[in-house]
Amino acid sequence: MCGIAGFVGASMNEGDAHAALNRMLASLRHRGPDGQGTQVDRDCGLGHVRLAIVDPEGGHQPMDNGHGTVWVSFNGEIYNHIELRCMLESHGHRFRTRSDTEVICHLYEHCGDRFVEHLNGQFALALRDSRRQRLVLARDRVGIRPLFHADHAGALWFASEPAALLTVLPGLRRIDLRALAQTFTMWSSLAPRSIFAGMHSLPPGHCLAIEADGQRTLSRYWRWESPEQPTPRPFARFEEASAHLRTLLDNAVRLRLRADVPVAAYLSGGLDSSVIAALIRSQDSAPLRTYSIAFEDAEFDESVFQTRMVRHLGTRHTTVTCTRRSIGDAFPQLIAHVQAPILRTAPAPLMLLARRVHADGFKVALTGEGADEVLGGYDLFKEAKVRRFCARQPESSWRRDLYARLYGYLEHSPTAHPALAQAFFDAGKADSDKPWYAHLPRWKTSSRAMGFLSADLRQALSSFDPAEELAPQLPGGIARWSPLARDQYVEAATLLPGYLLAAQGDRAAMAHSVEGRFPFLDHHLIEFANRLPDHWKIRGLTEKAILRHAVADLLPSSIARRTKQPYRSPDSSSFFVEGKPMDYVAELLSPQRLREAGYFDPDKVARLMAKCRTGNARGFGDNQAFTGIVSTMLLDHIHVRDRYGGEGKT
Amino acid sequence: MNSDRALIEKQVHHYLLQNLMFTDDESQLSVEVSLLDEGIIDSTGVLEVVMFLEEQFGVQVRDDQMLPENFDSVKAITDFVGRLQSSS
């Protein structure tokens, strides 16, 4: 895992070029503390900071193909690099190192731009073809590793994180209001839009080629796709499909254990991470090191289940217990790394966990991320199933009663009263044909944060629908996909790359130089799961039914049968100590600072702060709005005004 | 409108403006607008409203009264409180 940065099309002398690359790399140092390199070829520069995981001695980057004609700067892992190397060697390619980076160089020579289709991994990379004087940027299929780019004076600049681009292009230090509106609705901006005006995120599954004459081609090489209905099933029997899923999972874990450093695993206490840890134990006789987050708040804590799994697997385990105070204290550092507003504090405990993992000497951790998107685990999917079921017979009271079976883990369940639940979930019933029908109640709750924007911003955004940029990105045939497949697609196109793999994934872990690996996001597994019928994923209201069946022999029954409890952490209460806002919160949310920044209505924010301070903000809407306001003001302070003191910039 | 009802309506209106809409501007909430359709009450906001009604007006809201028609507007809430008070 590493950080990359660079440019193409910039006219600079070589000294200035290396200096610009080094400025960007300095802000990415936390991603790669083990080494740094730059390479300049005419108008193109590549930079790299390295977290050495595969071939620690031979993997220095940027790396060339042995002839200086193809150079690669690469962040991530290519899990099938051994198989690709064998294939390339059989075609006469010769290698100097054991690294996966060198495989990319040769694969490009062998296949041209289609090289990326052969990669199984998580990556963001820049490849320079010196002979043709072109640059290719590529990002993995689902967006595990980040890649941002921006134009300036005819040149294209790119980097793993926005902050690196801000060091060389200070003109980008402006918030994109439409991105803010998208974040305050869908939890993140929608690629290619980023939170900084004029800066773009390369969408997952895409390549961007920049030719010698400056011509650019953005192309998609992979898409999260499901078959149109009706469709023949890939397997006649559930048991057969379940066995195949197990094989794919075994393989995905086996590939992700490839490393020249020890590998740890996260254990949340839920099904997904337990499956991964159990599969590691079944494949590797070495002692397994596991890590968990615990909370002092019982509502969020899953320690009981974590302990059960630790005993079952016999792992050497460490728990990091998070308090509201520790979350609030860590939040400025988190936003320094996330470099975007967020509506939840949940990435903060994961950053604190990564700090401990790093301190223990680990660079890699496998997690259960992705299982809910791939195999239908989210409450939102079940909620949508009940909503669609109720919509068929709106007068049926027993159908309505199904709402009460959702969200049982919440202290204040929105579905405790079925009649009210139906009214809430009727949000967007006029849009029942829209692919984002399932997401409308969540988006409606989140968008309460928009009500706190200043009058100027609300006016500027009055005609902007945050979802409007999603529509043209949808696959043409999505209306003919099954309902669950549509819901999964929207989740995989919005929350997964925009928030879960970014703020809560890459940024939280890389803040402390830890690489997350996610077997459930192996593209072979995704492609298989997307061909399964809905009811093999959600059977009745049991989520991930086929996964539970496939791994039943690996887990204690209390874990295998456990209903999903989404990972959450205390939100607005984390920003107050003994009824008073933390110092930075009081300062950033003071009327003067709010007026100066201009994003929010100071009077409304003061009222919301009073509500949160007195512990009366119980709903998701208020909590998300408050977290969104604090994080936006921190973003403004740290990255727009460049006023950060430095404790968070590791 | 009798004076009791007017007082309840005023208090409910004020509570919703202050605690769910974070404003003093009364023109932003008419008494008949749908709180559910407009997203003014979110999925847990109704619990805040129930707590307010129970504390402010000394009424008890039963589970079987947790219905959209009792909570969907300032007017509906006011009528609901009136019914609870007259039946107690």
Side-chain angles (χ1 to χ4, degrees):
Chain A
M1 185 56 62
C2 309
I4 65 172
F7 58 82
V8 67
S11 307
M12 281 186 278
N13 66 47
E14 199 168 326
D16 288 346
H18 283 288
L21 290 170
N22 284 322
R23 268 213 306 284
M24 289 197 281
L25 295 178
S27 77
L28 296 172
R29 193 73 186 160
H30 52 278
R31 300 184 69 90
D34 299 333
Q36 180 167 328
T38 55
Q39 166 69 23
V40 175
D41 170 32
R42 301 188 199 205
D43 67 346
C44 177
L46 301 181
H48 188 263
V49 287
R50 184 171 188 223
L51 184 65
I53 290 170
V54 175
D55 192 6
E57 285 76 38
H60 182 78
Q61 294 188 47
M63 180 180 285
D64 76 323
N65 57 346
H67 309 291
T69 53
V70 177
W71 288 85
V72 167
S73 182
F74 153 57
N75 163 210
E77 303 292 342
I78 305 303
Y79 298 120
N80 61 338
H81 70 102
I82 295 172
E83 292 77 8
L84 290 171
R85 176 186 301 260
C86 288
M87 182 274 287
L88 289 164
E89 282 175 339
S90 73
H91 285 87
H93 291 263
R94 293 293 168 260
F95 291 86
R96 294 163 293 151
T97 73
R98 292 187 297 110
S99 83
D100 47 356
T101 315
E102 195 179 6
V103 169
I104 298 171
C105 297
H106 287 271
L107 195 61
Y108 172 77
E109 285 187 300
H110 190 69
C111 316
D113 283 0
R114 299 195 70 170
F115 76 99
V116 72
E117 297 170 21
H118 299 271
L119 304 177
N120 181 354
Q122 49 187 37
F123 53 87
L125 63 87
L127 182 148
R128 169 69 169 178
D129 180 335
S130 295
R131 278 189 294 215
R132 294 169 62 193
Q133 294 179 49
R134 66 196 298 263
L135 180 77
V136 179
L137 302 178
R139 198 166 169 217
D140 65 63
R141 293 170 178 82
V142 290
I144 298 171
R145 295 302 152 212
L147 190 51
F148 296 88
H149 60 93
D151 292 314
H152 180 69
L156 178 138
W157 294 73
F158 63 89
S160 295
E161 295 182 6
L165 291 172
L166 299 179
T167 63
V168 289
L169 304 175
L172 295 172
R173 292 184 188 276
R174 277 188 308 117
I175 293 212
D176 180 323
L177 298 184
R178 292 186 164 202
L180 187 65
Q182 287 177 337
T183 304
F184 278 14
T185 305
M186 299 185 280
W187 294 28
S188 78
S189 53
L190 194 62
R193 194 179 282 284
S194 88
I195 195 64
F196 293 101
M199 190 188 296
H200 309 286
S201 169
L202 184 64
H206 280 70
C207 290
L208 176 63
I210 303 100
E211 307 299 336
D213 62 1
Q215 188 187 328
R216 296 182 191 181
T217 310
L218 179 68
S219 54
R220 181 190 294 120
Y221 68 89
W222 189 85
R223 156 162 262 167
W224 181 293
E225 221 151 11
S226 292
E228 295 182 12
Q229 302 296 312
T231 182
R233 292 178 185 172
F235 293 93
R237 292 174 54 242
F238 178 80
E239 287 72 15
E240 215 180 312
S242 167
H244 192 65
L245 172 62
R246 176 68 173 268
T247 303
L248 288 169
L249 258 176
D250 269 325
N251 201 41
V253 168
R254 181 179 57 78
L255 288 177
R256 281 158 186 77
L257 289 174
R258 287 179 171 173
D260 293 329
V261 296
V263 173
Y266 285 0
L267 265 183
S268 72
L271 175 68
D272 312 335
S273 61
S274 298
V275 168
I276 299 305
L279 285 168
I280 296 172
R281 290 291 280 132
S282 73
Q283 293 183 16
D284 191 343
S285 57
L288 177 62
R289 196 79 164 79
T290 49
Y291 289 87
S292 293
I293 298 167
F295 291 99
E296 60 171 359
D297 282 274
E299 186 184 359
F300 309 108
D301 189 61
E302 298 181 69
S303 301
V304 173
F305 298 99
Q306 293 161 1
T307 306
R308 207 168 286 172
M309 229 16 237
V310 167
R311 287 200 186 122
H312 180 73
L313 296 176
T315 67
R316 190 172 155 225
H317 189 70
T318 299
T319 299
V320 172
T321 300
C322 292
T323 63
R324 294 172 185 178
R325 178 71 184 258
S326 66
I327 292 167
D329 281 342
F331 203 68
Q333 186 194 1
L334 176 74
I335 298 304
H337 284 287
V338 169
Q339 300 155 41
I342 50 176
L343 302 190
R344 286 276 178 93
T345 62
L350 280 159
M351 185 181 73
L352 296 173
L353 186 68
R355 183 173 71 182
R356 177 59 197 262
V357 172
H358 175 77
D360 286 353
F362 285 91
K363 295 177 176 180
V364 178
L366 268 66
T367 87
E369 198 67 73
D372 291 320
E373 290 80 359
V374 175
L375 294 162
Y378 283 123
D379 288 327
L380 180 141
F381 300 145
K382 290 195 282 186
E383 177 191 295
K385 185 173 181 175
V386 175
R387 286 169 64 210
R388 289 184 176 109
F389 187 59
C390 289
R392 285 191 216 159
Q393 281 194 35
E395 303 309 316
S396 164
S397 64
W398 78 264
R399 289 182 188 229
R400 214 167 53 187
D401 288 345
L402 290 170
Y403 282 117
R405 291 182 53 190
L406 304 169
Y407 303 106
Y409 53 86
L410 287 178
E411 193 179 348
H412 302 289
S413 170
T415 59
H417 306 287
L420 278 168
Q422 186 170 29
F424 297 132
F425 293 130
D426 269 353
K429 66 182 172 187
D431 294 315
S432 59
D433 58 331
K434 294 271 196 324
W436 50 81
Y437 168 75
H439 291 71
L440 286 170
R442 183 209 281 169
W443 291 354
K444 189 173 180 182
T445 298
S446 300
S447 65
R448 284 171 62 87
M450 298 283 285
F452 295 91
L453 294 176
S454 65
D456 286 351
L457 260 64
R458 272 183 285 149
Q459 173 65 27
L461 291 166
S462 59
S463 61
F464 178 63
D465 173 0
E468 77 183 31
E469 290 174 355
L470 181 59
Q473 297 184 11
L474 297 170
I478 194 171
R480 292 180 294 280
W481 293 8
S482 73
L484 177 59
R486 295 199 293 267
D487 302 344
Q488 286 180 276
Y489 179 87
V490 173
E491 193 71 0
T494 57
L495 197 81
L496 179 67
Y499 172 75
L500 290 172
L501 295 175
Q504 198 165 294
D506 178 87
R507 259 44 120 240
M510 289 311 294
H512 292 291
S513 314
V514 173
E515 171 182 292
R517 294 185 176 185
F518 316 119
F520 283 109
L521 290 175
D522 185 291
H523 70 280
H524 297 300
L525 202 151
I526 295 172
E527 288 166 359
F528 164 77
N530 284 354
R531 291 163 60 218
L532 297 174
D534 290 359
H535 64 276
W536 285 3
K537 297 177 204 166
I538 302 180
R539 178 172 274 176
L541 288 180
T542 301
E543 73 279 6
K544 292 177 287 199
I546 192 166
L547 176 63
R548 292 173 195 277
H549 186 272
V551 299
D553 60 311
L554 289 173
L555 305 175
S557 62
S558 60
I559 300 285
R561 288 187 199 148
R562 193 177 168 217
T563 301
K564 181 177 175 59
Q565 175 173 336
Y567 164 66
R568 297 183 303 131
S569 64
D571 287 309
S572 67
S573 61
S574 299
F575 299 110
F576 298 89
V577 179
E578 293 169 358
K580 291 181 180 162
M582 290 180 154
D583 287 348
Y584 74 86
V585 176
E587 188 192 330
L588 290 173
L589 269 54
S590 68
Q592 186 190 340
R593 290 299 296 274
L594 289 165
R595 264 193 295 275
E596 191 183 308
Y599 307 115
F600 299 107
D601 178 330
D603 181 54
K604 285 191 174 182
V605 172
R607 291 168 196 266
L608 177 62
M609 184 144 84
K611 189 175 181 182
C612 295
R613 182 172 57 75
T614 51
N616 287 319
R618 298 181 185 87
F620 286 145
D622 289 344
N623 276 283
Q624 289 174 14
F626 194 72
T627 309
I629 292 164
V630 173
S631 59
T632 303
M633 290 302 290
L634 279 167
L635 180 76
D636 179 80
H637 183 67
I638 300 166
H639 292 297
V640 175
R641 287 158 205 266
D642 198 18
R643 285 178 179 166
Y644 198 54
E647 84 210 45
K649 284 186 175 171
T650 50
Chain B
M1 184 187 292
N2 64 43
S3 60
D4 283 355
R5 192 185 186 289
L7 186 62
I8 293 170
E9 185 173 285
K10 189 175 176 188
Q11 288 175 305
V12 168
H13 194 213
H14 182 74
Y15 173 82
L16 293 172
L17 281 168
Q18 292 280 321
N19 291 279
L20 296 175
M21 299 177 71
F22 305 97
T23 180
D24 288 328
D25 183 358
E26 295 188 0
S27 70
Q28 291 199 18
L29 180 63
S30 78
V31 297
E32 295 194 343
V33 74
S34 168
L35 303 173
L36 298 170
D37 287 351
E38 294 299 314
I40 294 166
I41 291 183
D42 71 1
S43 55
T44 46
V46 72
L47 300 175
E48 294 180 39
V49 175
V50 170
M51 285 172 68
F52 164 72
L53 299 181
E54 292 186 340
E55 286 163 17
Q56 187 71 25
F57 303 112
V59 295
Q60 287 290 316
V61 180
R62 298 192 316 267
D63 276 6
D64 63 358
Q65 293 168 320
M66 297 288 285
L67 302 167
E69 50 266 40
N70 290 337
F71 293 95
D72 198 30
S73 65
V74 174
K75 184 172 178 299
I77 295 171
T78 305
D79 291 341
F80 178 47
V81 171
R83 288 198 301 278
L84 289 172
Q85 286 182 326
S86 62
S87 66
S88 62

